[in-house]
Amino acid sequence: MKPEGKSRTPNFETSENIRLQASSQLINLQITGCTKTELILKCFYCRFRFTSSSEKCLLILALAAAISGGAFTVGNMLLFANMTDFMINFGSQVTNNSSAIGSDEFLDTLQRFAIGNSIIGGLVLILGYTSNFLFNYTAQKQIHRIRSKFLKSALHQDIAWYDLNQTGDFANRLAE
């Protein structure tokens, strides 16, 4: 139950502390003589500090599946462009009453397009599902690891920490 008169507002003190901590780390890195490129690389690698080596491999595999799915989509567009070009040529020959392209050849081209489009669509579906599954799986593993570390850290606090923070804050922070 919520106490009367208290509104539920977000705690900006923690985000301010995080910003101050991040800016102090940035200042420390700049004081030690890091170049801008080194600073960017260190910040990039800090984003993956909660991943294990197997999860990094899964992320690389998911990225490869996503890129492959995008490449197959481009291949599908090229296949469609070739089929459209063939249809335009066939249509112009029909209107000019010249029969350089036969109807059998036209139907074979349409059949190749249908088979190729189905294969590419299946591959894009499988690769898209694989990339989404792997990205979500590694994200859930990281969330679990971060929440576990937060719980362990919160349980090892001094008793005064519990006097300063409300009972619901602990559960809210775990759920975030």
Side-chain angles (χ1 to χ4, degrees):
M1 286 176 76
K2 245 187 347 182
E4 275 301 311
K6 272 198 166 183
S7 65
R8 190 176 182 121
T9 58
N11 187 0
F12 292 108
E13 181 181 332
T14 57
S15 61
E16 187 64 33
N17 288 342
I18 290 171
R19 270 190 244 120
L20 289 174
Q21 193 176 39
S23 64
S24 68
Q25 288 175 352
L26 214 104
I27 291 169
N28 288 341
L29 287 173
Q30 289 175 346
I31 290 172
T32 58
C34 291
T35 64
K36 187 175 182 180
T37 307
E38 291 172 343
L39 187 63
I40 290 171
L41 285 175
K42 286 182 181 180
C43 291
F44 177 75
Y45 290 124
C46 287
R47 292 181 181 158
F48 298 103
R49 67 179 175 263
F50 292 108
T51 58
S52 65
S53 58
S54 64
E55 289 170 352
K56 288 177 185 173
C57 291
L58 289 176
L59 284 172
I60 291 171
L61 185 65
L63 184 63
I67 290 171
S68 299
F72 278 120
T73 303
V74 171
N76 194 18
M77 286 184 224
L78 292 174
L79 187 67
F80 183 73
N82 288 337
M83 191 265 315
T84 305
D85 187 42
F86 190 81
M87 288 177 72
I88 290 170
N89 289 338
F90 181 74
S92 66
Q93 289 180 1
V94 167
T95 56
N96 294 336
N97 292 328
S98 62
S99 60
I101 301 175
S103 62
D104 290 338
E105 188 178 350
F106 178 70
L107 292 176
D108 287 342
T109 303
L110 288 179
Q111 186 178 14
R112 279 196 309 268
F113 169 74
I115 292 170
N117 195 21
S118 299
I119 290 171
I120 289 175
L123 287 173
V124 168
L125 178 73
I126 291 169
L127 290 170
Y129 178 80
T130 302
S131 67
N132 283 327
F133 174 77
L134 291 176
F135 280 133
N136 287 328
Y137 176 76
T138 55
Q140 291 298 323
K141 295 284 280 185
Q142 290 173 31
I143 289 169
H144 176 69
R145 190 173 296 116
I146 291 168
R147 285 182 179 171
S148 297
K149 286 186 178 195
F150 176 75
L151 178 63
K152 184 178 179 181
S153 168
L155 291 176
H156 286 85
Q157 296 293 326
D158 292 331
I159 197 69
W161 184 83
Y162 295 102
D163 292 337
L164 295 175
N165 293 301
Q166 295 179 2
T167 309
D169 286 346
F170 179 72
N172 286 337
R173 289 184 186 181
L174 268 179
E176 288 179 357

